[in-house]
Amino acid sequence: MALKNIVIYPDEVLKKNCEPVTDFNDQLKVLAEDMAETMYAAPGVGLAANQVGISKRIFIIDIAEDNQSDLNVFINPEIIDIEGDLVWEEGCLSFPGMYIDVERAAKVTVKAQNTDGEFFELTAEGLFAVAIQHELDHLNGKSLADKVGYLKKKMMIKELTKIKNSKK
Ligand code: NI
């Protein structure tokens, strides 16, 4: 396994629609493992492939209390049903230190594939539902920056560019 670098907004890879996964090979399993290691090290509860620079439709989520015991891998995910709404204060590993209130569905049913290409369906509520919607946004080239107004977005980019430059 290997730790990957997490891409910081406004990197272009975060603004592009990710490509469907078509090959369910060993390389895909390694990617999922590397993403998990990277997410746990961060630490975070969710991570999309384009956040590590790979424009493929795969994201992972682990909302377990110990944040290491309930890894869910979603490949080519689609939300097939939603119910209710809520507002959640969301963070994102590509927006270090930033938290934004986002309106989301309270409950979602998602259809996706696992690393063997097998289809599954899952219904999630609360934080899990929010994380699924947040990560799916990433795969569609959307992120927290698209949930705020123009001025706030400009301020966020300025702040993130400072953080990025301080890491060089
Ligand atoms: Ni995110």
Side-chain angles (χ1 to χ4, degrees):
M1 298 216 289
L3 270 184
K4 301 262 194 198
N5 274 329
I6 295 174
V7 167
I8 304 296
Y9 192 85
D11 197 291
E12 286 305 313
V13 75
L14 295 172
K15 300 179 193 171
K16 278 199 321 204
N17 208 5
C18 297
E19 295 289 322
V21 172
T22 50
D23 293 332
F24 293 84
N25 51 22
D26 287 347
Q27 210 185 330
L28 181 69
K29 291 185 174 75
V30 170
L31 171 62
E33 282 170 16
D34 288 350
M35 284 172 63
E37 190 182 350
T38 304
M39 177 180 76
Y40 290 137
V45 297
L47 187 70
N50 52 342
Q51 290 184 277
V52 293
I54 293 164
S55 194
K56 292 272 180 198
R57 300 192 78 80
I58 167 169
F59 65 70
I60 59 169
I61 291 173
D62 187 339
I63 56 153
E65 297 266 309
D66 64 3
N67 192 234
Q68 300 259 352
S69 61
D70 188 23
L71 184 67
N72 291 273
V73 180
F74 299 82
I75 299 170
N76 301 327
E78 268 176 79
I79 289 178
I80 55 173
D81 198 20
I82 60 169
E83 217 183 289
D85 47 65
L86 51 69
V87 174
W88 203 278
E89 190 182 52
E90 298 179 19
C92 178
L93 294 176
S94 296
F95 293 77
M98 294 184 177
Y99 298 90
I100 306 286
D101 280 341
V102 184
E103 268 182 59
R104 300 286 190 189
K107 191 171 168 182
V108 299
T109 300
V110 59
K111 183 182 172 189
Q113 285 166 280
N114 64 20
T115 52
D116 292 318
E118 295 159 352
F119 284 92
F120 65 92
E121 275 184 34
L122 177 153
T123 298
E125 293 179 79
L127 173 60
F128 197 9
V130 167
I132 287 169
Q133 293 167 85
H134 177 113
E135 300 311 330
L136 189 55
D137 273 356
H138 276 304
L139 302 189
N140 294 330
K142 299 286 176 210
S143 60
L144 291 183
D146 300 295
K147 302 290 181 188
V148 298
Y150 175 74
L151 279 178
K152 173 93 179 171
K153 183 171 175 171
K154 268 184 80 171
M155 278 169 55
M156 286 165 81
I157 290 172
K158 204 174 158 190
E159 190 63 30
L160 290 165
T161 306
K162 244 188 256 170
I163 293 173
K164 223 192 271 195
N165 290 340
S166 72
K167 280 183 182 166
K168 272 177 193 162

